[in-house]
Amino acid sequence: MNKNKIIFLIIGIILVIFFVSMFLLLSKTWETKKTSSTGDFTLWVLQDDKNAFGNFLNEFKKQNSNYKNTTFNIVSFKNYEEYYHALVGAFLRWAAPDIFVVNNNDSSFFEKQISGIDPSVISPDDFRKNYDLVFSNDLIRKTKVDEKNEVEFLLWIPLWYENLWIFYNFRETKGKKLSTWAYVNEVVRDIRESSWKIWIGIWNGSSVYGVWDIITQFFLIDGIKNLQEATGNNMKSSISNYVRFWDENQDNKYDSLFSELISQNKNNLDAFSRGDVQMVIWYPRLLEEISKKGFNKNFLRAEVFPMNNQNAWNLLINYNYFVINKDTSSYQTAQDLMVYFSSKEGQKKYLELFNYYMPSQLWLVNDRLEENIKDGYSLKYKDFYNSNLELTTFNKGIKTIYDSEVSSLLDAKLNSTELFEIFRKKVLCISDKTLSSENLEKSCN
């Protein structure tokens, strides 16, 4: 063998050794990455304080030491519309988070991007026992395993819910019941006989904080449970009850403030805080806004949104549920987090950090009822809880459009029902296109 051949042979052997070594090293690194719990994991949340949610996940790390070195990247959005568009953009760029949230009153446009939870990990049967019926109806799905058999699985995990309150000035309503509209009307008559004050801050849309869910609750009172059903006489009754409440001879007079509030970029909360309006409606977290406006905390009280009778009723609830992105590269981490989210320890820790929410798990409800919601206020969780109510999800079609446009319809009292029917058809048309990808050239306007 000549000298050159020997040199080439040696070089070849060196290169083989080098590439084999690199292959083994990369294989070992890949295997470590595949089985390790360390690394980055992204969660997108809505309305929850980022630092508080980080503390919530720190408790998960304490209970699961194999995740002690995992970096959880948390992005918290304040506005649902901004969150929605950011999430759509993230999926288009293949940069969506590992876990994200969806609102219960929105059509699930992201459902095909969601990975189900193994029923051997979180049992749908156990879920039914531990959660209110509304969550089982909303969150359990079925899939066929063969021609004859189906299997149930959980698609989403809720940690909380909220329902509408009526906040009121205790000075004007001391000792009065407000659980039904009949009781409320009695209080209003008493107020009107002794004072010029306006009793409740509803009647139009643009000046009413959170009007999109208030009118939705009026739909539920008339038995309308989704936008598809919001038509005909029931729809007209719901809108009429809202925009004409105490109209004509029993004028609510809230409209007398409309021009002033709009011109000053204010709303019914400002009128409530200065004493012109005696009642406002929204979720418990409205307490933060009322506090900023300077309302005297000693005179603030609350009740569950009033109904038309004292029997069981449909009460709108709002919640954001957690889902796993089916394209996550860290499915085991995502599934372990879902187990933590559904555990007693996880649910209890979350409620300690976020004090405006009611528990989604039944066993925690009674423990929470006697607690004060916020220091310095005479408001307990039992003030907005009634075991007779039926918690209900309302499908808005497309929440971002529904919430942003419905308020202007309620300003147009004389033809608000006609405008709502046009609006309803448009939203459902866009929703159908998005979900089915059919009739794409048909105009929805």
Side-chain angles (χ1 to χ4, degrees):
M1 184 178 294
N2 61 39
K3 185 177 180 181
N4 289 336
K5 289 184 178 180
I6 294 173
I7 292 172
F8 282 119
L9 179 62
I10 293 172
I11 292 173
I13 293 171
I14 293 172
L15 288 174
V16 169
I17 293 172
F18 172 77
F19 284 119
V20 169
S21 299
M22 288 299 296
F23 174 80
L24 292 174
L25 179 61
L26 289 171
S27 298
K28 183 177 180 181
T29 302
W30 178 83
E31 188 65 28
T32 301
K33 186 176 181 181
K34 187 176 78 169
T35 59
S36 174
S37 298
T38 61
D40 290 352
F41 188 94
T42 301
L43 303 95
W44 282 15
V45 298
L46 185 63
Q47 298 169 342
D48 288 348
D49 178 78
K50 181 177 180 177
N51 292 329
F53 199 84
N55 291 334
F56 173 60
L57 295 183
N58 286 338
E59 189 65 28
F60 167 75
K61 287 185 177 183
K62 290 179 183 178
Q63 296 181 22
N64 299 270
S65 58
N66 54 317
Y67 290 108
K68 65 180 180 180
N69 295 321
T70 302
T71 299
F72 289 115
N73 301 311
I74 303 164
V75 181
S76 180
F77 292 77
K78 303 300 180 186
N79 178 283
Y80 187 82
E81 185 172 8
E82 293 174 4
Y83 169 80
Y84 181 90
H85 291 301
L87 190 58
V88 171
F91 276 114
L92 291 174
R93 298 191 310 275
W94 292 90
D98 298 286
I99 283 180
F100 58 98
V101 296
V102 182
N103 187 263
N104 68 306
N105 294 302
D106 212 355
S107 292
S108 186
F109 297 118
F110 300 106
E111 188 159 337
K112 291 184 179 180
Q113 279 297 138
I114 295 170
S115 175
I117 302 170
D118 190 329
S120 66
V121 176
I122 301 179
S123 164
D125 288 336
D126 290 341
F127 187 85
R128 286 190 178 92
K129 296 173 185 175
N130 296 326
Y131 292 80
D132 190 278
L133 180 61
V134 66
F135 299 111
S136 299
N137 292 338
D138 287 351
L139 309 179
I140 293 177
R141 294 288 186 269
K142 291 182 179 180
T143 187
K144 283 189 175 183
V145 292
D146 54 46
E147 291 185 1
K148 296 183 178 180
N149 299 305
E150 290 182 325
V151 62
E152 289 186 325
F153 64 96
L154 196 62
L155 200 54
W156 306 302
I157 293 291
L159 282 166
W160 57 274
Y161 77 87
E162 57 187 357
N163 58 264
L164 294 173
W165 284 16
I166 183 166
F167 291 88
Y168 61 91
N169 187 335
F170 186 58
R171 286 173 292 192
E172 301 289 350
T173 58
K174 192 178 295 184
K176 303 291 186 180
K177 293 181 178 180
L178 296 172
S179 58
T180 69
W181 284 112
Y183 288 142
V184 171
N185 289 340
E186 291 178 9
V187 173
V188 173
R189 291 189 186 96
D190 292 342
I191 293 175
R192 289 175 59 82
E193 288 175 2
S194 60
S195 173
W196 58 269
K197 294 176 180 177
I198 300 165
W199 70 284
I200 188 166
I202 61 172
W203 209 18
N204 55 59
S206 299
S207 72
V208 177
Y209 187 97
V211 69
W212 47 87
D213 278 0
I214 299 173
I215 188 60
T216 302
Q217 179 60 73
F218 274 81
F219 287 143
L220 286 176
I221 290 175
D222 283 318
I224 300 170
K225 295 186 178 182
N226 55 64
L227 186 60
Q228 185 76 41
E229 298 175 1
T231 186
N233 291 333
N234 283 350
M235 177 271 287
K236 292 177 181 178
S237 172
S238 301
I239 293 180
S240 178
N241 284 339
Y242 177 86
V243 301
R244 295 185 175 87
F245 225 96
W246 280 71
D247 200 357
E248 299 173 355
N249 294 333
Q250 295 179 321
D251 187 2
N252 177 30
K253 295 192 184 300
Y254 177 69
D255 255 18
S256 64
L257 301 176
F258 181 76
S259 297
E260 173 198 347
L261 293 174
I262 295 299
S263 65
Q264 297 178 5
N265 196 29
K266 294 184 177 180
N267 56 35
N268 59 335
L269 301 188
D270 297 283
F272 179 64
S273 296
R274 71 193 187 199
D276 291 345
V277 169
Q278 304 308 303
M279 303 177 192
V280 291
I281 298 168
W282 193 236
Y283 297 113
R285 52 192 156 93
L286 185 67
L287 189 53
E288 288 295 332
E289 297 298 322
I290 292 174
S291 179
K292 292 176 185 176
K293 302 289 184 182
F295 188 91
N296 190 326
K297 63 180 67 175
N298 295 322
F299 298 111
L300 186 65
R301 299 291 187 276
E303 292 261 358
V304 178
F305 187 96
M307 299 292 156
N308 285 340
N309 56 65
Q310 297 185 66
N311 298 320
W313 54 69
N314 294 314
L315 186 67
L316 177 72
I317 67 166
N318 180 68
Y319 65 93
N320 300 320
Y321 46 79
F322 288 84
V323 301
I324 301 173
N325 180 357
K326 74 178 182 64
D327 294 322
T328 179
S329 60
S330 306
Y331 180 76
Q332 186 60 54
T333 304
Q335 188 162 260
D336 289 345
L337 279 168
M338 288 296 186
V339 172
Y340 172 64
F341 292 171
S342 65
S343 69
K344 291 183 177 181
E345 296 79 10
Q347 297 253 332
K348 192 170 183 178
K349 182 64 178 179
Y350 183 86
L351 294 171
E352 288 175 4
L353 295 166
F354 300 99
N355 60 319
Y356 290 119
Y357 298 142
M358 280 295 288
S360 58
Q361 286 196 1
L362 296 171
W363 73 276
L364 278 168
V365 173
N366 288 334
D367 292 342
R368 199 159 176 82
L369 293 182
E370 292 298 329
E371 296 178 10
N372 282 341
I373 289 183
K374 186 176 177 65
D375 291 341
Y377 288 84
S378 298
L379 295 172
K380 296 180 181 293
Y381 292 97
K382 67 180 181 181
D383 294 328
F384 68 104
Y385 179 78
N386 186 322
S387 59
N388 293 322
L389 57 80
E390 182 179 343
L391 305 181
T392 307
T393 284
F394 184 97
N395 189 339
K396 295 178 177 179
I398 302 177
K399 177 178 167 62
T400 53
I401 299 177
Y402 183 100
D403 289 358
S404 64
E405 296 187 20
V406 76
S407 62
S408 61
L409 306 178
L410 300 174
D411 291 339
K413 295 179 178 57
L414 295 179
N415 59 345
S416 55
T417 56
E418 291 81 3
L419 291 175
F420 184 86
E421 180 59 26
I422 296 170
F423 164 76
R424 169 187 166 275
K425 290 179 180 178
K426 181 186 81 169
V427 176
L428 292 175
C429 173
I430 297 172
S431 176
D432 288 343
K433 280 187 180 183
T434 308
L435 289 171
S436 68
S437 296
E438 296 177 358
N439 301 314
L440 296 179
E441 295 182 358
K442 176 185 174 183
S443 174
C444 290
N445 292 318

